Amino acid sequence: MLSEFDVSVLEILSEDARTAPERIAVMTGRGEDEVKSVIARLERDRVILKYPAMVNWDLVRDDKVQALIEVRVTPQRDEGFDVIAERIYRFEEVKSVYLMSGAYDLMVIVEGTNIKQLALFVAEKLSTIEHVLSTATHFVLKKYKQDGVTMMKGEQDDRLQVSP
């Protein structure tokens, strides 16, 4: 079980992974060594898995296509959806796999160099997996907001500046 302090550190790092331990110590009113110790433990326990940078790739290159694929499957006895999900997430094109409630079972997010490559992935790799009943592919045309961050160029932050 994580402490309230652990969760505070996680919230700060999830908002900006570059926040230095010294800054987190000031924000939480704890010591810098305590913050470093908590971060090390959370990394060791695999609570913190990675420190990614969010990049607006549309401003950098246009050679990537992303798609969301709804997948209906027949769960396997004694293993449920896990074995099928594992088989799917091992493909190089797959960026994320989620178990969903509703009309389909798995949401698979894939990335490739063009629509044809992703279409072939669905036709030749994904839909041929045993226990996959159907797929529905939706290509991402434009991202407006991702993980709480607006992707639009030139948007200004209208919040009031607060200084310590």
Side-chain angles (χ1 to χ4, degrees), residues 9-19 147-149 159:
V9 170
L10 290 171
E11 287 172 346
I12 292 167
L13 289 174
S14 69
E15 186 64 34
D16 183 0
R18 295 185 329 162
T19 307
D147 295 329
V149 177
R159 296 178 291 175

Side-chain angles (χ1 to χ4, degrees), residues 40-144:
R41 179 175 42 80
L42 293 171
E43 290 171 343
R44 190 175 50 254
D45 293 346
R46 296 193 43 82
V47 174
I48 297 175
L49 299 173
K50 190 176 179 182
Y51 295 93
M54 181 181 294
V55 178
N56 187 348
W57 288 110
D58 292 342
L59 299 177
V60 178
R61 63 177 191 224
D62 59 0
D63 64 341
K64 291 289 182 188
V65 177
Q66 219 176 31
L68 295 95
I69 306 170
E70 302 172 0
V71 183
R72 288 187 54 233
V73 300
T74 303
Q76 294 184 326
R77 172 177 247 154
D78 298 326
E79 296 169 345
F81 298 97
D82 295 347
V83 171
I84 300 166
E86 181 179 351
R87 183 140 183 230
I88 292 170
Y89 72 61
R90 290 184 181 274
F91 289 113
E92 178 182 321
E93 298 87 347
V94 175
K95 298 299 173 198
S96 302
V97 178
Y98 303 101
L99 180 61
M100 305 295 290
S101 64
Y104 56 94
D105 303 304
L106 300 172
M107 169 62 72
V108 179
I109 300 174
V110 294
E111 191 175 87
T113 55
N114 57 51
I115 290 176
K116 184 175 181 178
Q117 178 194 14
L118 295 183
L120 287 173
F121 166 76
V122 173
E124 296 174 357
K125 294 180 181 177
L126 184 61
S127 64
T128 60
I129 295 174
E130 188 177 3
H131 305 295
V132 170
L133 301 174
S134 66
T135 64
T137 304
H138 308 277
F139 291 98
V140 176
L141 303 177
K142 183 175 182 176
K143 290 181 185 176
Y144 294 100

